[in-house]
């Protein structure tokens, strides 16, 4: 990063806002945003797959709590969840004296927790709908081959559900990227936080925030293109020959 800034420094010598220092701030914000979104999505999808299977199990004592989890986190704003994770845990008696204080005093971990649970709830419902849409003929064929329920899910249901869930999950990834802009309210220097820094320093909101908006657009375009390529690859068998 320092070498790249050294190369472009001569072109920025007459610029008051986009200096090597502010571009470095934007770069740090970009790295923090990508890391936060990527880790949240990774943990969220790992949680969502077994939760979606449990949600589709038909047993109320399993599907009921999972439904309640998805209902709560899909029914409340992500900003409120972030505030509760960052400010709320600190008021629980005994937390500040426990080992858990390390996590609540670092804003990254409450943000990661709230983002993970939120995307986990949405992804659970996405995969649950995809599992429920599995044609009965595929399950009957699996039973006819003597597959156990575990084998049928591993070889038939989940691969088929994943292909159907791709378009909706792509939207969820872009939504989480855009929603990550609220991480700056708990002092995390993400892209939006970097824009606030530039705005507070130069009192020029339009260049600061328009630049960040363009960065978000580029990231969204890249994510959308990646999912389109993945959909073409995984759904090419549906195209007429």
């Amino acid at each position: 990063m320092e070498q790249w800034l050294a190369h472009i420094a001569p072109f920025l010598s007459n610029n008051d806002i986009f200096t090597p220092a502010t571009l470095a701030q934007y770069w740090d914000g970009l790295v923090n945003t990508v890391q936060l979104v990527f880790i949240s999505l990774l943990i969220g999808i790992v949680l969502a797959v077994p939760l979606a299977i449990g949600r589709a199990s038909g047993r109320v004592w399993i599907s009921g709590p999972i439904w309640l989890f998805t209902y709560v986190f899909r029914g409340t704003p992500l900003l409120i969840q972030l505030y509760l994770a960052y400010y709320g845990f600190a008021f629980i008696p005994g937390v500040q004296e426990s080992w858990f204080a390390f996590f609540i005093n670092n804003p990254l971990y409450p943000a990661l927790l709230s983002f993970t649970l939120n995307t986990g709830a949405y992804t659970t419902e996405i995969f649950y709908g995809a599992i429920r849409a599995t044609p009965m003929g595929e399950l009957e064929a699996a039973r006819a081959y003597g597959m156990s329920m575990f084998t049928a899910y591993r070889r038939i249901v989940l691969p088929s559900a994943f292909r159907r869930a791709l378009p909706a999950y792509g939207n969820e990834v872009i939504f989480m990227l855009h929603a990550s802009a609220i991480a700056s309210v708990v002092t995390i220097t993400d892209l939006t936080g970097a824009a606030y820094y530039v705005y507070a320093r130069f009192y020029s909101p339009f260049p600061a925030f328009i630049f960040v908006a363009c960065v978000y657009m580029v990231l969204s375009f890249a994510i959308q293109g990646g999912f389109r390529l993945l959909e073409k690859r995984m759904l090419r068998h549906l195209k007429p020959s």
Side-chain angles (χ1 to χ4, degrees), residues 151-165 234:
T151 304
Y153 262 90
R154 182 170 61 88
R155 293 186 176 182
I156 306 297
V157 178
L158 290 182
S160 177
F162 182 75
R163 288 193 292 268
R164 284 189 295 273
M234 299 194 70

Side-chain angles (χ1 to χ4, degrees), residues 104-117:
I104 63 174
N105 292 330
N106 187 336
L108 175 63
Y109 296 110
L112 186 61
L113 175 64
S114 58
F115 285 11
T116 298
L117 293 178

Side-chain angles (χ1 to χ4, degrees), residues 163 232-240:
R163 288 193 292 268
K232 287 182 180 179
R233 180 177 179 84
M234 299 194 70
L235 302 177
R236 59 188 175 185
H237 64 284
L238 298 178
K239 292 183 178 181

Side-chain angles (χ1 to χ4, degrees), residues 19-57:
T19 63
T22 57
L23 289 179
Q25 190 79 13
Y26 278 123
W27 175 257
D28 292 339
L30 174 63
V31 171
N32 290 335
T33 295
V34 172
Q35 287 180 343
L36 181 60
V37 172
F38 177 77
I39 296 174
S40 300
L41 290 170
L42 181 62
I43 301 176
I45 197 171
V46 170
L47 292 175
V49 172
L51 289 178
I53 295 173
R55 179 93 162 81
S57 66

Side-chain angles (χ1 to χ4, degrees), residues 71-141:
Y71 180 81
V72 169
F73 280 93
R74 293 170 66 221
T76 54
L78 179 56
L79 180 61
I80 302 301
Q81 299 167 18
L82 178 60
Y83 278 147
L84 288 175
Y86 184 64
Y87 297 109
F89 283 120
F91 289 94
I92 299 177
V95 168
Q96 290 290 356
E97 292 76 25
S98 67
W99 61 270
F100 196 66
F102 170 78
F103 294 95
I104 63 174
N105 292 330
N106 187 336
L108 175 63
Y109 296 110
L112 186 61
L113 175 64
S114 58
F115 285 11
T116 298
L117 293 178
N118 186 273
T119 188
Y122 278 94
T123 308
T124 296
E125 287 297 315
I126 290 172
F127 277 99
Y128 166 67
I131 290 173
R132 288 293 301 271
T134 302
M136 287 301 299
E138 295 183 5
L139 295 176
E140 292 173 358

